[in-house]
Amino acid sequence: MWIKQYLSLPDTLHKKGGDAFSYVMQMQGKAYRDVGIRKTIQVNIDSKSYFIKQHFGVGWHEIFKNILSFKRPILSAITEVNAIHKLVSIGIATTPLVGYGVKGTNPATLQSFIITEDLGNIISLEDLCADWKNNPPAEKFKGRLIVEVANIARKLHENGINHRDFYLCHLCLDADLLAKNEIKFYLIDLHRVLIHKTISTSDNMKDIAALYFSSMDIGLTTRDLLRFKMYYLPKRVLASGFWQAVESRANKLYKKFHSDKFQQRLAAEKSAIL
């Protein structure tokens, strides 16, 4: 059953008058991602910074492509809304939800948006670890980070949640707290999250493979990987086939990412928002 229109907005936007849904969908700001069917912008409303993701309709081609690949198509921002609510309920910090809206009856042309607070001074784990191979961090600090990431992964998967873009760049730290030697993670970019009624070992493997792939060039040791495994699954040990599948998929992701075709695609996406 498709929702014709639903809005959950702060008063500051309702006070704009007229069609609040169209107003948000037409807002302009600093673009962080623009792939045609979806755009992420940073805006200032009443002197406060927010991020808005505008979904303009995926089209039937994208829907059928996903179905034929046995994937669940992501039709609107409501996927991310539900993901935020779920993460908050299990104690994983993420971008605070401010408002959202969905409009339409046709799944291919469904329009929607989500507004979240700007987390402010954060640093992604990808950026934090970028030079670790040449300048390794203190072992104790690295160990703390690995344990925290493993705990996040475990908590997600024990609750039937799969991020589906579980890379280092989507695990961010509060930079102000980090300067005080305190660790607080935020898990971001939730627009592809799946929430299962039962745990999916296959999707869990894909999440861990994505995480492993994104950490392959930061100089992790065998001991680091064992620490992650221990905290990710402290009460049981998966068959070795799980970890073999993780490594195999991570290697394929690494090869794909470094291919000329994929790098050209990334360059095109970046140029579209400059």
Side-chain angles (χ1 to χ4, degrees), residues 39-51:
K39 187 175 182 180
T40 302
I41 59 173
Q42 183 269 329
V43 301
N44 288 296
I45 303 172
D46 293 341
S47 301
K48 190 170 181 179
S49 180
Y50 300 92
F51 279 90

Side-chain angles (χ1 to χ4, degrees), residues 69-88:
S69 300
F70 302 101
K71 296 177 181 178
R72 188 186 305 178
I74 303 301
L75 303 177
S76 75
I78 298 303
T79 297
E80 187 156 2
V81 171
N82 293 336
I84 290 175
H85 286 314
K86 184 67 174 180
L87 260 61
V88 170

Side-chain angles (χ1 to χ4, degrees), residues 125-127 129-130 149 165-171 206-220 249-251 253-254 257-258:
L125 201 52
E126 180 182 56
D127 290 337
C129 303
V149 172
D165 282 313
F166 199 46
Y167 307 115
L168 293 182
C169 60
H170 296 148
L171 286 155
K206 292 175 183 178
D207 269 356
I208 301 303
L211 183 65
Y212 182 35
F213 145 72
S214 65
S215 64
M216 288 174 77
D217 287 332
I218 65 172
L220 294 181
R249 184 174 178 85
N251 286 329
L253 288 172
Y254 189 91
F257 179 80
H258 289 283

Side-chain angles (χ1 to χ4, degrees), residues 135-153:
N135 296 292
E139 283 296 321
K140 185 176 180 180
F141 173 69
K142 180 173 62 170
R144 289 169 62 200
L145 290 178
I146 290 171
V147 169
E148 287 296 326
V149 172
N151 284 338
I152 290 171

Side-chain angles (χ1 to χ4, degrees), residues 24-252:
V24 176
M25 290 298 292
Q26 293 169 13
M27 287 184 75
Q28 301 294 316
K30 181 180 179 182
Y32 279 79
R33 187 171 177 83
D34 187 350
V35 292
I37 62 174
R38 188 177 69 256
K39 187 175 182 180
T40 302
I41 59 173
Q42 183 269 329
V43 301
N44 288 296
I45 303 172
D46 293 341
S47 301
K48 190 170 181 179
S49 180
Y50 300 92
F51 279 90
I52 300 178
K53 289 186 182 178
Q54 301 159 325
H55 294 244
F56 302 105
V58 298
W60 285 114
H61 178 269
E62 184 69 16
I63 290 174
F64 285 124
K65 185 178 76 173
N66 277 270
I67 291 173
L68 292 173
S69 300
F70 302 101
K71 296 177 181 178
R72 188 186 305 178
I74 303 301
L75 303 177
S76 75
I78 298 303
T79 297
E80 187 156 2
V81 171
N82 293 336
I84 290 175
H85 286 314
K86 184 67 174 180
L87 260 61
V88 170
S89 73
I90 64 172
I92 295 178
T94 185
T95 47
L97 180 63
V98 175
Y100 58 95
V102 59
K103 186 177 183 180
T105 56
N106 185 331
T109 59
L110 204 64
Q111 294 197 358
S112 60
F113 66 83
I114 179 173
I115 306 174
T116 56
E117 290 182 18
D118 186 339
L119 291 172
N121 188 20
I122 58 174
I123 181 171
S124 75
L125 201 52
E126 180 182 56
D127 290 337
L128 182 69
C129 303
D131 197 39
W132 274 14
K133 202 166 188 176
N134 298 318
N135 296 292
E139 283 296 321
K140 185 176 180 180
F141 173 69
K142 180 173 62 170
R144 289 169 62 200
L145 290 178
I146 290 171
V147 169
E148 287 296 326
V149 172
N151 284 338
I152 290 171
R154 174 176 51 79
K155 197 175 289 187
L156 284 174
H157 294 166
E158 285 181 345
N159 286 278
I161 306 167
N162 292 111
H163 188 277
R164 297 211 298 164
D165 282 313
F166 199 46
Y167 307 115
L168 293 182
C169 60
H170 296 148
L171 286 155
C172 297
L173 291 130
D174 185 312
D176 294 329
L177 291 178
L178 191 61
K180 302 175 184 177
N181 199 32
E182 297 179 38
I183 293 175
K184 180 176 182 178
F185 272 107
Y186 296 97
L187 182 60
I188 67 170
D189 206 348
L190 310 177
H191 82 276
R192 297 184 69 233
V193 164
L194 289 181
I195 303 172
H196 304 274
K197 291 182 179 179
T198 57
I199 293 172
S200 171
T201 302
S202 175
D203 285 337
N204 291 353
M205 180 276 293
K206 292 175 183 178
D207 269 356
I208 301 303
L211 183 65
Y212 182 35
F213 145 72
S214 65
S215 64
M216 288 174 77
D217 287 332
I218 65 172
L220 294 181
T221 66
T222 300
R223 182 180 179 184
D224 295 329
L225 298 176
L226 287 173
R227 176 180 279 116
F228 175 87
K229 291 179 182 180
M230 182 176 67
Y231 282 90
Y232 172 60
L233 291 168
K235 295 181 180 178
R236 61 190 179 92
V237 178
L238 284 177
S240 60
F242 176 86
W243 297 109
Q244 290 171 357
V246 165
E247 185 171 1
S248 175
R249 184 174 178 85
N251 286 329
K252 289 177 181 177

